[in-house]
């Protein structure tokens, strides 16, 4: 598999991971105390940051 195809698969897999984190934390954003809402937002931001950082790091290696 060439590098471009691997990068596309990594982007798609990262989008699925970010979408899953948003889906799982969405119900906590809609109800619950404010502290839980902040934690749900932190989860979305943290997962997004880690996935994007991983994609940037892997693209620089190749």
């Amino acid at each position: 598999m060439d590098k471009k195809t691997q990068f596309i698969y990594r982007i798609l897999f990262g989008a699925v991971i970010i979408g899953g984190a948003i889906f799982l934390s969405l119900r906590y954003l809609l109800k619950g105390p404010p502290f839980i809402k902040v934690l749900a937002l932190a989860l979305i931001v943290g997962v997004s940051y880690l996935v994007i950082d991983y994609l940037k790091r892997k693209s620089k290696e190749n």
Side-chain angles (χ1 to χ4, degrees):
M1 194 178 327
D2 62 342
K3 293 179 183 181
K4 184 177 180 182
T5 308
Q6 282 182 344
F7 187 67
I8 290 173
Y9 280 126
R10 284 186 182 129
I11 287 177
L12 290 176
F13 188 64
V16 168
I17 291 174
I18 291 172
I22 291 171
F23 177 75
L24 290 176
S25 64
L26 188 63
R27 66 179 175 161
Y28 296 112
L29 282 172
L30 297 178
K31 52 185 160 180
F35 179 70
I36 300 298
K37 291 180 182 182
V38 170
L39 287 178
L41 283 175
L43 173 71
I44 293 171
V45 170
V47 167
S48 300
Y49 172 76
L50 289 174
V51 168
I52 291 171
D53 184 50
Y54 173 77
L55 289 172
K56 287 168 83 174
R57 206 170 2 116
K58 282 296 184 178
S59 68
K60 285 183 183 179
E61 285 179 6
N62 297 333

